[in-house]
Amino acid sequence: MKSLSNWREDAKKRAAEAAIGNVKDGWVIGLGSGTTVEYAVSALGKRVREEGLKVYIVPSSYQIFYKALEEKLPIVTLDEYPCLELTIDGADEVDKNLNLVKGGGGALTREKIIGYASKRYVIIVDETKLVDNLGSKNPIPAEVLPFALPIVLKELKKSFNVKVREGRGKVGPTVTDNGNFIVDIYCGIVKNPEAFNSKLKSIPGIIETGLFLNMANLVYVGRKDGKIDILSKS
């Protein structure tokens, strides 16, 4: 019997391969960050090698930038292609309206930018990421300008438990590819995501939040039984 982590990785890999199977020749594609997106990059590289598929990549992080280089995928920028055909990304939570919590990997601002720049925003998850309400399983992350951190923390602590995310393999806070910090907000279930997102972004110094609202068009869900569900907005 496969462990929880093993079947989840298999499920994400299958979902990533299914999503990449719909990519067309000549497309300019945005790529989010995280291990799920790494599966998508590998699947894309395989199609390029085996089918001669021609695509161009806008990565959201150094992690995916170097993974794309490893797969010999051509990298372009938003300066060259401000309108993307598609962005493929992962998520930490997905609700029934396809609203998302993202930012577990710390690349939420760049991910939101390339998602906004895309005609379609496609999400890849395993079934454990599906929730009835955002905030059910994860804190809501926010990217914060270091200069403003004391003010942001003071304001947030009036209502929530918050924590500056610690870096891995280093001492001190996580530093994003933009040179900012990540603050995790432990708020529990978010009953009104739009209002909560607006409240957070009204605080000077919060650059972006991990609430991705009304952005996703399709969600590929890898199931434990090997099936893949495709969710779309009704």
Side-chain angles (χ1 to χ4, degrees), residues 38-190:
E38 286 191 338
Y39 290 134
V41 177
S42 296
L44 197 56
K46 182 178 180 181
R47 287 197 63 195
V48 168
R49 290 189 299 274
E50 295 182 357
E51 303 173 27
L53 183 73
K54 292 183 179 180
V55 291
Y56 304 90
I57 303 302
V58 178
S60 64
S61 66
Y62 289 121
Q63 173 208 13
I64 298 304
F65 174 86
Y66 287 113
K67 180 64 177 177
L69 287 181
E70 181 182 310
E71 294 289 342
K72 296 181 171 55
L73 300 175
I75 295 171
V76 295
T77 67
L78 289 175
D79 289 316
E80 299 168 280
Y81 296 96
C83 182
L84 310 180
E85 188 67 36
L86 174 74
T87 283
I88 294 176
D89 207 347
D92 301 312
E93 294 182 359
V94 181
D95 74 8
K96 61 185 178 181
N97 297 313
L98 305 193
N99 291 320
L100 317 171
V101 172
K102 288 181 47 55
L108 58 95
T109 299
R110 294 191 182 196
E111 289 171 337
K112 192 172 283 190
I113 289 168
I114 62 172
Y116 182 83
S118 301
K119 296 178 184 177
R120 285 167 291 174
Y121 191 39
V122 175
I123 301 300
I124 304 164
V125 295
D126 68 78
E127 64 180 76
T128 66
K129 303 300 179 67
L130 302 180
V131 298
D132 292 328
N133 298 283
L134 299 183
S136 298
K137 297 181 178 181
N138 296 278
I140 307 300
E143 184 162 352
V144 176
L145 191 71
F147 178 76
L149 183 64
I151 305 303
V152 171
L153 292 179
K154 179 182 177 182
E155 187 65 28
L156 290 175
K157 285 179 179 179
K158 293 177 182 178
S159 304
F160 312 108
N161 292 323
V162 297
K163 184 177 180 181
V164 179
R165 189 179 299 175
E166 290 293 314
R168 297 179 182 177
K170 64 179 285 293
V171 177
T174 294
V175 179
T176 72
D177 289 354
N178 303 316
N180 300 312
F181 296 155
I182 297 291
V183 172
D184 289 316
I185 305 163
Y186 294 84
C187 55
I189 290 173
V190 180

Side-chain angles (χ1 to χ4, degrees), residues 25-36:
D25 198 63
W27 280 7
V28 183
I29 303 169
L31 291 172
S33 298
T35 56
T36 304

